[in-house]
C-alpha cells in the first residue's frame, strides 16, 4: 500500500475534530434564540408570591420599556449564583420581574433576604404553566421583553458576570 | 454515606485503570514478566470497583435520596420504582458512569476469559482499554460527578422526562452501550495488535466474538429504539435520520463491515490492514456519535444536555484516542505483512464488495449528519433530512441487498460465474416476479419500494440456499446464524418497502359517532373520557375500528393525551392495534372550538416486519456467536488432548 494513503483517515478525522472545535468555541453564545423569540408573551396572570410585592400578569410586561423576566426558584442552586448579577442589573436601572417556580412564600422570602431582592414583581407559578408557556425549560432562565410585551431574547442558565453587558446590549436593542 | 462511597469507588477504579496502563506499558517495554502477569488481576479489580460505584448510584436513585444533586434533578419520589431505577442512567452523568462501568467490566471479562491471544498482545490490549477508561474516569471525576451533594437537600425531585418513562426506553441505552463498549474492545484489540505487530488469523479469532457480541447488542438497541420512537413519539414513522439515530446507525454500519472482514481474516488470513482500520473506525463512530449528541452541537429531538464544557472534554478525548489510533495506524500498518491473496470472484471478493457498499452508506450518513455544521461554518442554517438520506443511501442499500443474496453462495479463494448464476436462478426469478406483481397492483408505489420488495423476496429465498444439497444436521450453528441474520434483513427490507409504499394516512377533525375511513378500516370516535395513571392524568379517546361488513368484529383503540405534573409535560400516547397484515395507529390531538377532536390515523401494512426482521438479525448474530464459541472450545479441548 502506498505510504501516504495510510494517513488519509487521520487527516479526515482531524478535519472532523477541527469542525467540532470550531463549533464549540466559535459560537458559544449563552443568549440563545428560542422558537418563541420575536413572539408576544402568552396571556397569563399569576398571584403574588410574597407579601407586599404584586403578582405578575402579561399586561405588567408591556409597559413601553424593555425589561427582564427572570424565572427562578428558592430551591435552585444556580439561582443563588446569579443573584449578584441580577442586583448589578437592577443598579444599572433595569426593571426585573420574576416568575417563581413551585415554591413556598416563606422559602422565597428567605431566599430574597439572603441573596438580595432585585424584583419589581414576583408571580407564583405553582404548576409551571407560565414557564412552559413562555418556552422555558428550567431554572434559572432570563428573558428580555421589549416594550410591546414580545420576547426579544432568551438566556438559558445562570447569568454570569460576563453575561451582564450582553444582556444590557440586548435590552438596548429591544428598545 | 452512600454517595461518598460511590465517589470513593470511582476514584479507586480510576487509580486501578492508571495502574493497569502503567503496568502494561512498563511490563512490555522492560520485558518484566511479573508486571505483565499482574495486569489481569488489576483489570478485574477495576471492573468490580466501577460496578460497585454504579450499583451505589442505582441505590441512591431507588432510595430517592434528594440530598444528591443528580437524583434531585432527575428523579421524583412519586415515580414507579422501575423509572427510579432507570433514572440512574436516564441522564448525562449516570449514563457516562454506566458507559465506564461497562467498559471496565468488559476489560475484566477479557482478563478472565481471553485465552487465544499471545500474552504481549493481550497485555497491550488491556493497556489500551485502561487508557480509554482513564479518559472517561477523568471526565466523570472532573467535569460531571454523579455523586455531588445538594445542600440543603431538595424537598422533592424534578422528575424524569416523561418521554423516557417507558419500559422500552429504560433498557434501550444500556443495550446500545453494551454495543458501543463492545466496539471499544475491538478498538483496544486493534491498538494492541498494531503495537505488537501480531495481526493474523489467531488475532481475528480472538476479536471476533467481541465484535459479534457488540454487533448483536447494537442491532437490538437500534431495532428497539426505532420501535420506541414509532409508538412513543406518536408521529407514525419508524426512522427519521435524526442525528441521535444516526449516532447509533454509524457504528452499526462500521461494525457490520468489521464483522464480515474479520471473518476473512480469521478464515483466510486476508484483509489485515483493512480489518484494523474498520476496528478503529467502528469505535470512532461510537465516540463521534456520543460527542455530537452530548455537546449540543447538533440539534435533535432527543439530544441530551447542551453543555459546551462537556463537549470540549469529549472532543479532547476523541482527538486523543482516535487521532492516536489513526496515527499509530499510519506508522505501523505499513509493517503489517499483507495477508493471503484471492480472486475477485470469490467469497473474499464478495465480502470486500459488502465492505465497500457499507462504507459508502456510512460515508453518506456521516456527511449528511455533519453537513449542517459545515453549512453553518459558511453562514447558512439548514438541516439535512430524510429526502437526502433516502435518495442517497437507498439505492446503495438495495445494491447491498442484492449482493447479500450472492455472497454466501461463493467459494473461498476462487469461484466461477456459471455455477453462481445457476444457484441464483430461483431467487432472481422470484425477485422479478414480485417486482412485476407489485408494479401491476400498485404502479404508484415508487421504484425503490418496488425494487425493495422484489429484492427482499429474492434474498429471503437465497438466504437459505447454502443449505442446498447439504445434510441439515451437519450444518454448523454459525452458518445457521448467518442465514437467519440475512433472512432477517430480507424481512426488514420487505417491511420498510411495504410501509413506505402502501401506508394510508388520515387527519380528521372527528365528531362523535361519525365514521372515517383509512385504508380498509372504518373508524369511529365514540367518546373522550378522563383517566388517571401512576404519575399522570389524561384524556382518552374511545375509538372503534372495523373492516369488511359494517357489523363485523370491532377493535377498540384508546389513544391518550397525557399530562405529567413533574416535570409538567404533555405527551400523546398513540394507540396501536397489531393485525396479522399490519398496524392501525391512532393519535389523539387537541379539541377545537366546535368540540371536534383532532384524530390522526394510519394504516401501515406489514410495518411490523421491520422490527421482526431486526430481531431475526440479532438472533442470527447471537446463534453465530454461540456457534463460534462452541467450536473454539472444542478446538481448544482437542489441542489439549493432542498435547497429552
Amino acid at each position: 500500500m502506498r505510504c501516504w494513503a495510510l494517513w488519509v483517515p487521520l487527516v479526515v478525522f482531524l478535519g472532523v475534530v477541527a469542525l467540532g472545535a470550531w463549533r464549540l468555541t466559535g459560537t458559544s453564545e449563552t443568549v440563545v434564540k428560542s422558537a418563541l423569540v420575536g413572539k408576544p408573551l402568552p396571556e397569563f396572570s399569576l398571584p403574588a408570591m410574597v407579601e407586599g410585592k404584586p403578582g405578575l400578569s402579561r399586561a405588567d410586561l408591556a409597559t413601553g420599556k424593555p425589561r427582564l423576566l427572570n424565572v427562578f426558584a428558592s430551591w435552585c442552586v444556580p439561582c443563588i449564583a446569579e443573584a449578584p448579577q441580577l442586583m448589578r442589573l437592577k443598579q444599572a436601572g433595569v426593571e426585573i420581574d420574576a416568575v417563581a417556580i413551585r415554591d413556598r412564600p416563606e422559602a422565597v422570602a428567605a431566599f430574597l433576604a439572603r441573596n438580595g431582592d432585585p424584583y419589581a414583581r414576583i408571580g407564583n407559578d405553582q404548576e409551571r404553566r407560565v414557564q412552559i408557556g413562555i418556552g422555558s425549560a428550567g431554572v434559572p432562565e432570563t428573558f428580555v421583553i421589549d416594550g410591546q410585551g414580545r420576547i426579544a431574547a432568551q438566556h438559558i442558565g445562570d447569568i454570569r458576570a460576563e453575561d451582564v453587558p450582553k444582556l444590557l446590549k440586548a435590552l438596548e436593542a429591544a428598545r | 454515606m452512600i454517595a461518598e462511597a460511590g465517589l470513593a469507588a470511582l476514584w479507586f477504579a480510576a487509580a486501578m485503570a492508571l495502574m493497569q496502563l502503567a503496568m502494561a506499558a512498563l511490563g512490555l517495554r522492560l520485558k518484566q514478566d511479573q508486571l505483565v502477569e499482574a495486569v489481569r488481576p488489576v483489570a478485574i479489580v477495576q471492573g468490580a470497583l466501577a460496578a460497585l460505584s454504579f450499583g451505589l448510584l442505582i441505590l441512591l436513585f431507588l432510595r430517592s435520596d434528594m440530598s444528591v444533586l443528580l437524583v434531585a434533578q432527575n428523579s421524583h419520589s412519586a415515580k414507579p420504582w422501575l423509572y427510579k431505577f432507570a433514572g440512574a442512567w436516564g441522564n448525562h452523568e449516570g449514563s457516562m458512569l454506566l458507559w465506564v462501568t461497562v467498559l471496565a467490566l468488559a476489560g475484566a471479562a477479557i482478563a478472565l476469559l481471553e485465552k487465544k491471544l499471545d500474552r504481549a498482545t493481550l497485555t497491550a490490549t488491556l493497556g489500551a482499554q485502561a487508557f480509554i477508561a482513564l479518559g472517561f474516569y477523568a471526565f466523570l471525576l472532573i467535569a460531571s460527578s454523579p455523586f455531588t451533594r445538594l445542600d440543603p437537600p431538595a424537598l422533592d425531585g424534578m422528575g424524569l422526562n416523561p418521554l423516557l418513562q417507558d419500559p422500552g426506553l429504560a433498557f434501550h441505552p444500556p443495550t446500545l452501550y453494551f454495543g458501543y463498549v463492545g466496539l471499544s474492545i475491538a478498538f483496544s484489540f486493534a491498538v494492541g495488535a498494531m503495537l505488537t505487530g501480531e495481526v493474523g488469523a489467531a488475532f481475528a479469532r480472538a476479536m471476533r466474538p467481541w465484535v459479534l457480541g457488540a454487533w448483536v447488542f447494537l442491532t437490538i438497541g437500534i431495532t428497539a429504539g426505532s420501535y420506541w420512537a414509532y409508538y412513543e413519539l406518536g408521529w407514525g414513522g419508524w426512522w427519521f435520520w435524526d442525528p441521535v439515530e444516526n449516532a447509533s446507525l454509524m457504528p452499526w454500519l462500521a461494525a457490520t463491515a468489521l464483522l464480515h472482514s474479520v471473518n476473512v481474516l480469521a478464515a483466510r488470513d486476508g484483509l489485515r490492514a483493512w480489518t484494523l482500520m474498520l476496528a478503529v473506525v467502528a469505535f470512532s463512530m461510537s465516540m463521534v456519535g456520543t460527542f455530537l449528541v452530548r455537546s449540543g452541537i447538533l440539534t435533535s429531538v432527543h439530544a441530551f444536555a447542551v453543555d459546551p464544557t462537556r463537549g470540549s472534554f469529549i472532543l479532547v478525548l476523541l482527538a486523543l484516542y482516535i487521532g492516536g489510533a489513526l496515527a499509530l495506524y499510519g506508522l505501523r500498518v505499513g509493517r503489517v505483512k499483507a495477508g493471503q491473496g484471492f480472486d475477485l470472484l470469490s467469497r473474499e471478493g464478495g465480502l470486500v464488495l459488502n465492505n465497500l457498499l457499507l462504507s459508502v452508506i456510512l460515508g453518506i450518513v456521516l456527511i449528511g449528519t455533519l453537513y449542517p455544521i459545515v453549512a453553518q461554518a459558511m453562514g447558512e442554517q439548514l438541516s439535512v433530512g430524510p429526502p437526502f438520506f433516502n435518495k442517497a443511501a437507498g439505492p446503495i442499500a438495495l445494491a447491498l441487498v442484492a449482493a447479500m443474496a450472492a455472497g454466501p453462495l461463493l467459494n473461498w479463494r476462487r469461484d466461477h460465474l456459471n455455477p453462481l448464476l445457476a444457484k441464483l436462478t430461483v431467487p432472481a426469478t422470484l425477485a422479478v416476479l414480485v417486482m412485476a406483481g407489485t408494479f401491476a397492483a400498485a404502479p404508484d408505489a415508487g421504484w425503490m419500494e418496488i425494487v425493495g420488495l422484489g429484492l427482499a423476496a429474492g434474498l429471503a429465498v437465497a438466504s437459505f440456499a447454502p443449505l442446498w444439497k447439504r445434510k441439515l444436521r451437519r450444518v454448523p450453528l454459525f452458518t445457521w446464524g448467518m442465514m437467519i441474520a440475512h433472512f432477517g434483513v430480507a424481512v426488514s427490507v420487505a417491511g420498510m418497502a411495504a410501509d413506505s409504499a402502501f401506508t394510508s394516512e388520515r387527519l380528521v377533525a372527528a365528531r362523535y359517532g361519525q365514521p372515517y375511513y383509512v385504508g380498509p378500516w372504518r373508524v369511529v370516535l365514540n367518546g373522550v373520557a378522563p383517566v388517571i395513571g401512576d404519575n399522570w392524568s389524561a384524556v382518552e379517546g374511545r375509538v372503534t375500528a372495523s373492516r369488511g361488513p359494517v357489523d363485523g368484529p370491532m377493535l377498540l383503540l384508546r389513544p391518550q393525551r397525557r399530562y405529567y405534573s413533574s416535570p409538567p409535560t404533555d405527551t400523546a400516547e398513540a394507540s396501536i392495534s397489531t393485525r396479522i397484515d399490519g398496524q392501525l395507529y391512532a393519535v389523539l390531538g387537541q379539541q377545537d372550538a366546535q368540540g371536534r377532536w383532532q384524530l390522526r390515523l394510519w394504516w401501515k401494512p406489514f410495518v411490523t416486519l421491520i422490527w421482526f426482521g431486526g430481531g431475526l438479525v440479532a438472533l442470527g448474530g447471537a446463534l453465530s456467536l454461540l456457534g463460534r464459541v462452541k467450536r473454539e472450545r472444542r478446538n481448544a479441548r482437542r489441542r489439549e488432548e493432542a498435547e497429552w
Side-chain angles (χ1 to χ4, degrees):
Chain A
M1 204 181 296
R2 278 175 309 280
C3 224
W4 59 266
L6 297 176
W7 297 94
V8 171
L10 182 62
V11 172
V12 172
F13 173 73
L14 289 179
V16 173
V17 170
L19 196 63
W22 168 80
R23 187 66 186 79
L24 277 177
T25 55
T27 50
S28 62
E29 292 172 356
T30 39
V31 183
V32 182
K33 272 204 153 195
S34 93
L36 287 169
V37 169
K39 301 230 169 89
L41 288 165
E43 205 54 62
F44 70 88
S45 174
L46 291 173
M49 185 80 231
V50 289
E51 244 173 88
K53 197 169 283 252
L56 188 67
S57 71
R58 196 202 118 83
D60 300 324
L61 293 162
T63 53
K65 186 180 172 203
R67 55 205 299 125
L68 290 181
L69 176 60
N70 182 236
V71 181
F72 83 110
S74 68
W75 44 264
C76 135
V77 178
C79 296
I80 301 171
E82 78 169 2
Q85 307 311 327
L86 284 173
M87 292 307 287
R88 264 177 71 192
L89 282 161
K90 189 198 175 192
Q91 273 144 29
V94 179
E95 286 172 33
I96 308 173
D97 294 318
V99 174
I101 305 301
R102 289 204 314 192
D103 226 326
R104 289 170 299 135
E106 59 274 20
V108 173
F111 178 89
L112 296 177
R114 204 167 34 218
N115 302 300
D117 181 0
Y119 306 121
R121 298 182 179 79
I122 305 178
N124 178 359
D125 192 9
Q126 266 317 316
E127 318 251 274
R128 290 176 78 171
R129 286 185 185 277
V130 171
Q131 188 191 17
I132 289 175
I134 58 179
S136 155
V139 282
E141 269 185 44
T142 306
F143 292 82
V144 177
I145 311 292
D146 74 2
Q148 280 83 51
R150 280 189 303 248
I151 299 174
Q154 179 181 12
H155 176 97
I156 294 172
D158 56 326
I159 300 172
R160 301 184 184 177
E162 64 267 27
D163 300 324
V164 170
K166 281 190 215 162
L167 283 172
L168 287 172
K169 211 186 288 173
L171 283 162
E172 192 56 39
R175 194 166 283 280
Chain B
M1 277 310 284
I2 300 176
E4 286 69 29
L7 190 61
L10 197 58
W11 275 106
F12 281 126
M16 285 294 141
L18 187 62
M19 211 158 108
Q20 187 178 331
L21 175 61
M23 285 161 94
L26 287 176
L28 286 180
R29 178 129 291 225
L30 307 175
K31 309 236 182 296
Q32 286 286 329
D33 278 356
Q34 275 166 324
L35 278 178
V36 169
E37 278 303 318
V39 169
R40 278 183 170 194
V42 171
I44 295 166
V45 173
Q46 188 212 329
L49 283 168
L52 174 66
S53 176
F54 186 59
L56 290 173
L57 183 69
I58 291 179
L59 191 60
L60 288 172
F61 268 84
L62 286 178
R63 293 171 58 148
S64 294
D65 187 339
M66 293 305 164
S67 69
V68 174
L69 182 64
L70 192 68
V71 181
Q73 277 171 345
N74 295 289
S75 193
H76 192 277
S77 57
K79 249 179 4 177
W81 76 266
L82 176 68
Y83 301 121
K84 285 185 188 168
F85 181 62
W89 60 79
N91 59 76
H92 167 81
E93 287 82 357
S95 62
M96 278 294 157
L97 183 57
L98 171 64
W99 169 293
V100 84
T101 301
V102 179
L103 194 71
L105 285 175
I110 298 177
L112 273 173
L113 301 173
E114 191 54 64
K115 303 207 168 75
K116 275 156 273 174
L117 271 183
D118 67 271
R119 219 174 45 178
T121 310
L122 177 65
T123 306
T125 302
L126 285 175
Q129 190 79 4
F131 188 44
I132 299 176
L134 263 181
F136 284 92
Y137 285 126
F139 185 38
L140 277 165
L141 291 169
I142 297 167
S144 46
S145 166
F147 296 109
T148 309
R149 288 277 189 187
L150 184 62
D151 187 36
L155 294 175
D156 208 332
M158 312 236 295
L160 173 71
N161 180 351
L163 282 177
L164 302 179
Q165 296 199 18
D166 179 273
L169 204 72
F171 295 100
H172 172 57
T175 316
L176 276 180
Y177 277 19
F178 282 123
Y180 287 159
V181 176
L183 291 178
S184 82
I185 300 177
F187 176 87
S188 300
F189 268 102
V191 171
M194 283 192 279
L195 286 171
T196 56
E198 294 293 325
V199 188
F203 159 75
R205 277 200 288 273
M207 179 159 91
R208 179 160 57 187
W210 297 99
V211 177
L212 250 176
W215 181 81
V216 168
F217 276 113
L218 274 182
T219 308
I220 296 173
I222 292 172
T223 307
S226 156
Y227 192 64
W228 168 77
Y230 169 82
Y231 79 78
E232 181 69 29
L233 297 182
W235 57 284
W238 55 275
W239 195 262
F240 193 65
W241 297 103
D242 179 272
V244 173
E245 293 173 338
N246 292 347
S248 65
L249 180 64
M250 290 189 288
W252 185 85
L253 288 167
T256 310
L258 175 60
L259 189 61
H260 289 88
S261 80
V262 96
N263 275 330
V264 177
L265 186 53
R268 300 285 318 152
D269 199 12
L271 300 184
R272 287 178 164 186
W274 175 245
T275 303
L276 289 178
M277 183 80 247
L278 279 178
V280 172
V281 166
F283 179 59
S284 308
M285 286 301 150
S286 323
M287 291 261 312
V288 168
T290 313
F291 168 67
L292 291 178
V293 174
R294 289 301 161 83
S295 60
I297 281 193
L298 287 172
T299 41
S300 146
V301 280
H302 33 14
F304 282 77
V306 181
D307 186 339
T309 356
R310 285 173 188 169
S312 318
F313 211 116
I314 304 181
L315 189 67
V316 170
L317 291 185
L318 199 77
L320 204 63
Y321 295 150
I322 297 167
L326 290 173
L328 191 63
Y329 184 83
L331 284 172
R332 289 300 185 96
V333 151
R335 283 191 233 163
V336 170
K337 282 187 233 87
Q340 300 287 326
F342 50 83
D343 271 17
L344 205 55
L345 190 70
S346 63
R347 178 75 75 85
E348 292 95 320
L351 288 168
V352 168
L353 178 65
N354 144 306
N355 270 222
L356 286 178
L357 292 172
L358 281 167
S359 305
V360 173
I361 298 175
L362 175 60
I364 290 170
V365 178
L366 185 65
I367 289 170
T369 309
L370 291 179
Y371 187 70
I373 312 178
V374 181
Q376 206 173 23
M378 297 183 289
E380 227 179 315
Q381 284 275 5
L382 58 82
S383 60
V384 177
F388 164 78
F389 288 107
N390 289 343
K391 269 198 200 109
I396 297 162
L398 290 178
L400 185 61
V401 172
M404 279 173 71
L409 301 175
L410 288 163
N411 288 324
W412 288 108
R413 216 156 61 103
R414 182 181 301 150
D415 208 335
H416 302 282
L417 198 55
N418 283 339
L420 176 67
L421 290 180
K423 284 184 215 164
L424 281 174
T425 317
V426 177
T429 316
L430 182 68
V432 171
L433 283 178
V434 169
M435 284 183 219
T438 313
F439 183 70
D444 303 330
W447 76 265
M448 275 213 278
E449 286 78 359
I450 293 174
V451 172
L453 279 172
L455 288 178
L459 175 59
V461 177
S463 298
F464 292 104
L467 291 179
W468 188 248
K469 289 180 183 164
R470 278 172 87 166
K471 287 209 173 73
L472 290 192
R473 292 281 306 277
R474 307 207 52 184
V475 175
L477 193 55
F478 51 80
T479 306
W480 281 107
M482 183 265 285
M483 291 187 299
I484 289 171
H486 282 197
F487 179 68
V489 171
V491 170
S492 262
V493 169
M496 292 170 198
D499 173 57
S500 161
F502 307 123
T503 291
S504 3
E505 181 184 353
R506 278 294 298 277
L507 175 62
V508 294
R511 289 183 193 287
Y512 296 144
Q514 186 167 337
Y516 301 95
Y517 295 89
V518 57
W521 294 90
R522 179 178 183 274
V523 179
V524 179
L525 176 65
N526 293 308
V528 170
V531 283
I532 298 285
D534 284 340
N535 57 345
W536 48 265
S537 58
V539 287
E540 184 178 86
R542 302 286 154 83
V543 178
T544 52
S546 60
R547 60 174 159 184
V550 176
D551 53 350
M554 291 275 202
L555 292 176
L556 180 61
L557 293 169
R558 298 179 159 189
Q560 296 176 340
R561 289 203 68 77
R562 280 191 191 171
Y563 174 74
Y564 287 82
S565 53
S566 62
T569 321
D570 281 308
T571 65
E573 294 290 310
S575 175
I576 301 172
S577 174
T578 304
R579 317 311 303 162
I580 193 119
D581 57 343
Q583 286 187 327
L584 185 63
Y585 188 120
V587 178
L588 189 67
Q590 308 282 357
Q591 192 173 25
D592 70 7
Q594 283 100 48
R596 298 177 303 185
W597 286 89
Q598 244 186 24
L599 191 60
R600 232 182 155 85
L601 300 163
W602 281 277
W603 167 242
K604 301 180 145 294
F606 299 107
V607 68
T608 38
L609 292 185
I610 296 173
W611 306 291
F612 181 61
L616 281 177
V617 173
L619 173 71
L623 287 180
S624 208
L625 177 60
L626 199 66
R628 291 288 178 207
V629 171
K630 265 188 167 173
R631 167 160 297 196
E632 291 295 339
R633 282 246 175 98
R634 210 171 52 223
N635 287 349
R637 219 171 29 237
R638 274 198 199 136
R639 272 197 301 275
E640 264 172 39
E641 279 160 15
E643 278 167 23
W644 277 90

